[in-house]
Amino acid sequence: MIIVLKPGIAKKQETTILKEIRKRGYKPHVMRGVARIVIGAIGDELTHQSLETLAMVFPEIVESVTPVQKRYKLVSREAHPATSEVPVREHFIGGRQLHVMAGPCSVEGEDQLLRTAVAVKAAGATMLRGGAFKPRTSPYEFQGLGLKGLKLLAKARRETGLAVITELLSENHADMVAEYADILQIGARNAQNFQLLIAAAKTGKPVLLKRGLSMKIEEWLLAGEYVLANENANLMFCERGIRTFETYTRNTLDLATIPIIKNESHCPIVIDPSQGAGRADLVKSLCKGAVAMGADALLIEVHPNPAEAWSDGQQQVSLEVFAQLMKELRPLAEAVGRTL
Ligand code: PEP
Ligand code: MN
């Protein structure tokens, strides 16, 4: 903690503060500037009373109290300098291989899902995405097939060998969804639903945490902290665009999160260009940018007939476009030291 004292403080007041800091279990280091005194206090907030109240308790002496340590710990690169690799069936996300998770926004039926799964697998995807429980803005829109959707995902996995990622929408579904999925997706709308994050963590399955629609990176890292703090080390962050004033795109995909998350955290970073732009015609370019910038995986919406999709039709790419995209991504991935 950095404690800045008000200018013109008397020696007696300085002594009072130093005594209080020691009393709360911290070791003060005094730095005397020309105009004011700054105190660095070393200690552990987890086991000691916080120093943040000093400014409130001694308003005539203390000007400000600022933490120097980051608020997130377990997700931080400081805590774990090596990049974490998240095991998903026979794969590892965060290692040399770039993983592509592809499939429809929503599971709509057996034929749609199976056709998509076979095609994305043939094109080089390692994981199948598909929502069985859908977080829709309107209650009158398709809400997902629920358990039937989960069973279809499991069937597609049996037939293709693809790992399955699907969204966990409610704490009540945690055990059910974990029974069928290889990765639990926490959606943008639930990114700060802390009880849901805890429930997801406790299933022991890898968790992919989308960034909330208006979430700061620090809040996102702290939300991820809930997963690690609940004894689940297998966390991935997924940037899917944030809400801005821009209207050309559904969201503004923040690719700067790739180097930022890599710098701040040891957890892999996944990019979702589909929700990110809300436009199928931008998916290819955004994927290329993400791969060039070091994304560990991509989450892409693919549908056999996007025009007839039950959700997010405007942003899903066709099977043909997906196959072409994978072809174009391969040399790019190699150029940045990844295999695809
Ligand atoms: C999705 O992946 O289809 C989805 C609903 O994502 P998000 O939570 O990012 O909107
Ligand atoms: Mn979608």
Side-chain angles (χ1 to χ4, degrees):
M1 286 287 193
I2 299 290
I3 298 128
V4 180
L5 303 189
K6 294 218 158 141
I9 286 297
K11 187 77 195 157
K12 203 170 142 225
Q13 290 173 303
E14 181 191 324
T15 311
T16 305
I17 286 298
L18 290 176
K19 239 169 117 182
E20 180 67 21
I21 292 170
R22 285 196 197 95
K23 199 179 104 196
R24 295 192 188 191
Y26 296 79
K27 202 170 158 208
H29 297 266
V30 181
M31 295 162 268
R32 274 171 226 286
V34 184
R36 55 180 87 221
I37 295 168
V38 174
I39 304 168
I42 313 284
D44 183 358
E45 249 191 76
L46 273 181
T47 49
H48 293 98
Q49 189 188 343
S50 166
L51 291 177
E52 268 168 5
T53 54
L54 281 181
M56 206 176 70
V57 180
F58 301 94
E60 66 294 346
I61 311 178
V62 176
E63 181 153 306
S64 64
V65 180
T66 320
V68 266
Q69 243 193 353
K70 300 206 167 126
R71 292 167 72 204
Y72 43 89
K73 302 180 194 307
L74 300 173
V75 300
S76 77
R77 191 54 94 171
E78 277 159 27
H80 191 286
T83 300
S84 286
E85 296 189 18
V86 173
V88 179
R89 298 184 81 79
E90 72 270 35
H91 308 293
F92 291 91
I93 300 174
R96 210 174 119 72
Q97 192 182 348
L98 174 76
H99 284 278
V100 175
M101 311 168 181
C105 176
S106 304
V107 178
E108 298 166 9
E110 182 163 343
D111 182 58
Q112 171 243 20
L113 189 66
L114 266 294
R115 264 184 73 198
T116 311
V118 168
V120 299
K121 162 102 185 185
T126 47
M127 301 178 194
L128 176 66
R129 66 146 287 150
F133 292 94
K134 294 302 299 177
R136 303 307 299 277
T137 301
S138 161
Y140 306 118
E141 291 166 347
F142 176 56
Q143 304 288 308
L145 295 180
L147 180 59
K148 187 175 163 213
L150 294 176
K151 289 187 172 164
L152 289 175
L153 286 163
K155 181 164 189 191
R157 173 176 53 212
R158 276 197 305 278
E159 299 205 358
T160 59
L162 290 167
V164 161
I165 170 167
T166 195
E167 178 160 352
L168 174 65
L169 209 50
S170 158
E171 281 168 71
N172 300 333
H173 300 156
D175 292 336
M176 175 179 44
V177 177
E179 194 185 323
Y180 294 94
D182 298 303
I183 303 173
L184 303 180
Q185 174 176 321
I186 301 294
R189 288 152 194 84
N190 272 319
Q192 282 182 303
N193 181 340
F194 303 120
Q195 293 307 315
L196 182 66
L197 282 164
I198 293 168
K202 287 192 169 159
T203 65
K205 290 280 175 175
V207 175
L208 177 137
L209 173 59
K210 296 261 197 139
R211 183 178 181 185
L213 285 102
S214 63
M215 211 177 192
K216 291 184 182 180
I217 293 173
E218 191 193 28
E219 293 168 328
W220 190 23
L221 287 159
L222 283 165
E225 190 78 12
Y226 273 87
V227 176
L228 270 69
N230 283 278
E231 268 112 61
N232 186 334
N234 295 318
L235 171 72
M236 292 162 269
F237 289 101
C238 178
E239 163 65 33
R240 48 77 74 207
I242 48 174
R243 185 163 285 185
T244 69
F245 49 80
E246 187 49 69
T247 53
Y248 270 53
T249 48
R250 179 182 181 189
N251 294 298
T252 298
L253 186 69
D254 183 5
L255 289 180
T257 53
I258 300 170
I260 293 171
I261 292 292
K262 280 188 175 288
N263 203 33
E264 295 299 316
S265 177
H266 54 90
C267 301
I269 171 84
V270 181
I271 294 293
D272 172 351
S274 308
Q275 332 297 322
R279 285 174 50 167
D281 63 328
L282 297 184
V283 166
K284 230 190 229 182
S285 301
L286 292 172
C287 284
K288 289 178 180 172
V291 169
M293 287 178 75
D296 295 302
L298 300 169
L299 181 67
I300 307 172
E301 287 188 347
V302 185
H303 194 285
N305 187 357
E308 286 181 10
W310 297 4
S311 61
D312 287 349
Q314 69 294 347
Q315 70 194 32
Q316 306 207 49
V317 297
S318 65
L319 307 182
E320 298 73 31
V321 169
F322 179 74
Q324 181 60 28
L325 164 64
M326 292 294 280
K327 223 185 255 171
E328 291 177 29
L329 281 181
R330 222 155 259 131
L332 254 171
E334 274 161 29
V336 292
R338 305 302 274 264
T339 51
L340 175 64

